[in-house]
Amino acid sequence: MNVIKTGLSVLAMAGLLASSAAAAERWDMPMAYAATNYHSENGADFAACVTAGSGGALEIVTHPSGSLFKGNEIKRAVQTGQTPIGERLLSAHQNENPIFGVDSIPFLATSFADSEKLWKAARPTVAKLLDEQNLVLLYSVPWPPQGLYFKKPVNGVADMRGLKFRSYNSATARLAELAGMLPVQIEAAELSQALATGVAESFISSGATGYDRKVWEHLTHFYEVDAWLPRNHIFVNKDAWNGLDGGTRDVLRGCADEAAANGLKRAVAYTAFTLNGLREGGMQVVKAGDALRADLMKIGETMTEEWLRQAGGDGKAIVDSFKSM
Ligand code: PCA
């Protein structure tokens, strides 16, 4: 009797497991940056929010540090359905459409508050462009303000000539060219190695990325420039999105809104934390001097003109809308 009972319950259990396994879906979410970076931690919280909110019907699993796909592979991987969701720095795709570079226009939006305003102005256009590329935009989180890293004191563009400069998007490569430097595109995940081997000896980024990559082991100076605040964007393959029921989509949207708000708060906190970390690592962390700033402003004007010319009416409309906020 006991044996039969046990046998039945095992069968029943197996049936239950089989039916929940059929209903549950697992989404792998590639991310490009360090697991300890706030973008990655925020993404992990977003994933947990969706998994819990859907009662386990949709489990999202994050893969930071470019471990599943490298940063420059993620957008295509999601577009083509190799993976259903991912995070990407969209400004690195400015070659596909200038609008993707709206967050990297020098000296347009230089604070977290302005970055949020610019994003508010740009979001509908960016979402539409992504939609045309088979992607559904979920949320976006800013990086801290961008400054310059060197291994010597730099007082103006003249001191930058000929340096090997690590770039991460079109804007950073263009800035290098205009300053007479030699741009080389390198993922954040490979930055420490590039500095160690001399492939790069300078770059522009946040204190966050310098801290994540322990760049004090190779460099000496961080100049706070507040040139712009680029953003990471989290998006879903449209076919995968269309395959979800309405309730699960609502869970994703709700968790995305929460992640956007939390990500911004984390970005602000990580800014001060990481600038201090660079100092503790032995670097000089100082505001760019007047001469350096004036040189960079000039380069910024050129880059702004170039972007506006390339981005046409849509670009101008976003910038005008931002300026009117
Ligand atoms: N860190 C990223 C992009 C901007 C930033 O602050 C990087 O350097 O790749």
Side-chain angles (χ1 to χ4, degrees), residues 116-324:
E116 289 302 299
K117 281 190 201 163
L118 182 57
W119 173 235
K120 202 169 165 214
R123 180 173 181 146
T125 311
V126 172
K128 183 169 153 276
L129 291 174
L130 291 177
D131 180 76
E132 288 164 6
Q133 296 185 328
N134 203 37
L135 296 169
V136 177
L137 174 72
L138 281 185
Y139 68 92
S140 164
V141 173
W143 283 96
Q146 304 292 290
L148 287 164
Y149 288 88
F150 298 107
K151 54 182 185 183
K152 63 175 187 181
V154 167
N155 298 311
V157 162
D159 297 333
M160 293 157 66
R161 296 238 156 83
L163 293 180
K164 287 180 264 179
F165 187 83
R166 175 263 176 170
S167 62
Y168 62 74
N169 66 9
S170 308
T172 52
R174 186 68 182 132
L175 184 146
E177 281 169 6
L178 290 169
M181 300 189 288
L182 310 166
V184 46
Q185 184 103 3
I186 294 164
E187 291 292 325
E190 268 112 50
L191 180 55
S192 311
Q193 203 196 341
L195 296 171
T197 55
V199 170
E201 55 190 338
S202 58
F203 65 101
I204 184 166
S205 191
S206 55
T209 291
Y211 176 85
D212 292 341
R213 295 297 153 207
K214 297 189 171 58
V215 301
W216 54 83
E217 291 175 358
H218 312 288
L219 306 179
T220 54
H221 288 73
F222 179 70
Y223 291 99
E224 292 177 66
V225 175
D226 299 351
W228 62 79
L229 290 79
R231 303 179 68 101
N232 285 348
H233 302 78
I234 289 72
F235 41 70
V236 173
N237 173 282
K238 208 201 282 184
D239 306 312
W241 177 261
N242 288 338
L244 298 173
D245 60 51
T248 309
R249 282 188 212 163
D250 288 347
V251 169
L252 275 159
R253 288 273 181 223
C255 291
D257 289 348
E258 212 174 284
N262 290 340
L264 174 62
K265 278 186 215 148
R266 284 175 140 129
V268 174
Y270 207 61
T271 303
F273 171 76
T274 52
L275 290 180
N276 280 334
L278 294 179
R279 282 193 192 95
E280 278 165 25
M283 291 187 74
Q284 288 201 39
V285 177
V286 291
K287 297 235 177 284
D290 290 345
L292 174 57
R293 175 156 283 277
D295 284 352
L296 293 171
M297 287 287 184
K298 251 180 119 185
I299 289 174
E301 275 168 31
T302 304
M303 289 174 62
T304 305
E305 279 165 23
E306 288 174 351
W307 187 86
L308 283 169
R309 211 179 311 129
Q310 289 161 9
D314 280 355
K316 188 178 179 313
I318 293 171
V319 171
D320 288 348
S321 152
F322 162 70
K323 286 185 171 165
S324 72

